[in-house]
Amino acid sequence: MRRLIINADDFGLTAGVNRAILEAHEHGVVTSTTLMANSLAFEEAVQLAQSRFSLSTGCHVVLLDGKPLIDPGRLPSLVDGKDGNSFRDGVSGFVLRTLCGRIDPDQVEAETTAQIRKLQSHGIDVSHVDSHKHTHMFPPALQGILRAARTCGVTAIRNPFEVVAANFVRLQRGLWKRYAQVETLHGLAGYFRKAVAKAGLRTPDGTLGIVATGHLNPDLFREIADNMPEGTWEFVCHPGYLDADLRSFATRLRKSRVEELAVLTSPDTRAALERQGVQLISYRDL
């Protein structure tokens, strides 16, 4: 049996991203989304989520690129030493601090708890958690996020480790570097599975689409669907409309969000999944 959750990240980032995620759910294949508690269009995203129970909504935990919800003075391992009020930018520095033992799981837990609680206080039944730029694949962040999830009654978490065949990559120039980066991190997958099981949370067997982020097209999606293994998987996507607010963010994902939306709402995409007998589910069904 092949089951697939299609999750749209960055709900709440901008009004254009919100509109695209709802469109990809109502007229496409998106079944779940994750909402950023400290985002520009948070209030609108909450209203949209509350009016569409069929859209499973989780928390997109932000530990990079933004401002924390709690007092930054309580988060010295996470905030920028120069700015003092914002998270540090970029995943490479986060990885380095992780390797040097400079990420405090207790601080991650405190901030993650605040982010989940904010969603819950606005009436969101938080179905799962994942993290901006997949920081929860690293043990110190994972420890804190798992503890926060248990405290807040959240029972599922993204498995951020991708199952990728090399023939996916040949369809798109520029994916080999991304593929190599993802493969390098697979050494953490065993720790992740054990930690999640010990915490008593549910998780899919792995992810699809992380390598394709920023490059998704109909051919690449069809290749992924045709080669999806047996089991329960999550396809990670980032649909959006390129509005003025999105242009103002320091992100590589701008035009690609519009292209992803076209793929996610195409009848050919649903047909590709149906040909392979893939059952679409949400995190609530996990």
Side-chain angles (χ1 to χ4, degrees), residues 128-149:
H128 62 294
V129 293
D130 56 33
S131 61
H132 180 52
K133 297 187 177 178
H134 313 294
T135 52
H136 71 288
M137 69 172 54
F138 303 105
L142 177 63
Q143 293 168 24
I145 290 173
L146 287 174
R147 294 203 300 256

Side-chain angles (χ1 to χ4, degrees), residues 159-200:
N159 181 337
F161 297 96
E162 179 150 19
V163 176
V164 177
N167 59 346
F168 299 174
V169 181
R170 67 177 170 79
L171 292 174
Q172 183 71 50
R173 293 182 62 186
L175 289 186
W176 282 107
K177 181 179 178 181
R178 180 77 167 167
Y179 173 75
Q181 291 171 337
V182 169
E183 281 295 291
T184 299
L185 295 170
H186 261 273
L188 298 171
Y191 176 88
F192 174 86
R193 288 192 294 271
K194 291 177 182 177
V196 170
K198 184 177 180 181

Side-chain angles (χ1 to χ4, degrees), residues 61-103:
V61 177
V62 177
L63 302 175
L64 293 171
D65 309 332
K67 293 184 181 295
L69 293 186
I70 67 174
D71 178 6
R74 295 173 54 191
L75 307 172
S77 76
L78 299 175
V79 300
D80 190 318
K82 296 179 181 179
D83 176 279
N85 294 314
S86 303
F87 292 123
R88 292 180 173 89
D89 295 334
V91 71
S92 58
F94 191 92
V95 174
L96 181 60
R97 295 195 306 280
T98 295
L99 294 175
C100 295
R102 293 165 55 193
I103 298 295

Side-chain angles (χ1 to χ4, degrees), residues 104-136:
D104 187 338
D106 292 340
Q107 294 174 26
V108 172
E109 179 184 6
E111 175 61 22
T112 301
T113 299
Q115 292 184 24
I116 296 173
R117 290 296 194 205
K118 182 176 179 180
L119 269 63
Q120 292 174 329
S121 71
H122 282 73
I124 300 296
D125 181 12
V126 179
S127 56
H128 62 294
V129 293
D130 56 33
S131 61
H132 180 52
K133 297 187 177 178
H134 313 294
T135 52
H136 71 288

